[in-house]
Amino acid sequence: MIRLLFAFFLVNSINVFSQTPQPIKTSGNGCMIWSDEYSSNDSIIWNGACKNGYASGVGILKWYRDNKLVVIYKGAMKYGRFNGYGKYEIIGYATFEGHFISGALNGKGAAYFSNGG
């Protein structure tokens, strides 16, 4: 019975905690990026090019939450998603570096944690 309840909780919690990615308009040049983490307290700046309204090419993305810098991404974007070589830094936590495909790290890369772990 406990296994059944755990399995039920696990399956249902995935639906509760996951959000559907949505296009978000960045400040400044107005390019769109895709995100499932955006909240009304956030602001995003993309300094690279736009193609068909979406962040494309190489540039720097800065993500602020409550006016505090929380993420910096330096690298390539395609259709508003991390795509190509990039470096994703979560301020005060970790940096992930490598090749991204459709917003996710893919293949070999590196992770550096602020606490040395």
Side-chain angles (χ1 to χ4, degrees):
M1 182 66 170
I2 292 174
R3 288 182 186 166
L4 182 61
L5 287 173
F6 178 73
F8 176 78
F9 173 76
L10 184 62
V11 168
N12 287 311
S13 67
I14 292 169
N15 292 331
V16 170
F17 296 117
S18 65
Q19 297 178 358
T20 303
Q22 59 185 340
I24 308 298
K25 186 181 260 189
T26 62
S27 301
N29 61 10
C31 290
M32 304 287 273
I33 64 155
W34 289 95
S35 175
D36 58 357
E37 298 289 327
Y38 189 79
S39 79
S40 60
N41 297 332
D42 295 351
S43 62
I44 303 169
I45 298 170
W46 168 250
N47 78 346
C50 292
K51 184 175 181 182
N52 298 323
Y54 287 88
S56 291
V58 177
I60 299 172
L61 180 139
K62 293 183 179 181
W63 191 303
Y64 296 85
R65 178 159 287 156
D66 296 320
N67 296 317
K68 182 180 176 189
L69 182 63
V70 292
V71 169
I72 298 174
Y73 173 75
K74 297 177 183 178
M77 299 276 275
K78 182 178 180 183
Y79 192 63
R81 293 190 164 122
F82 308 147
N83 207 76
Y85 182 80
K87 187 174 182 180
Y88 183 89
E89 179 183 0
I90 303 169
I91 306 300
Y93 176 68
T95 300
F96 305 95
E97 188 172 356
H99 189 79
F100 290 80
I101 295 177
S102 295
L105 269 174
N106 187 291
K108 292 183 180 180
Y112 308 96
F113 294 90
S114 298
N115 66 2

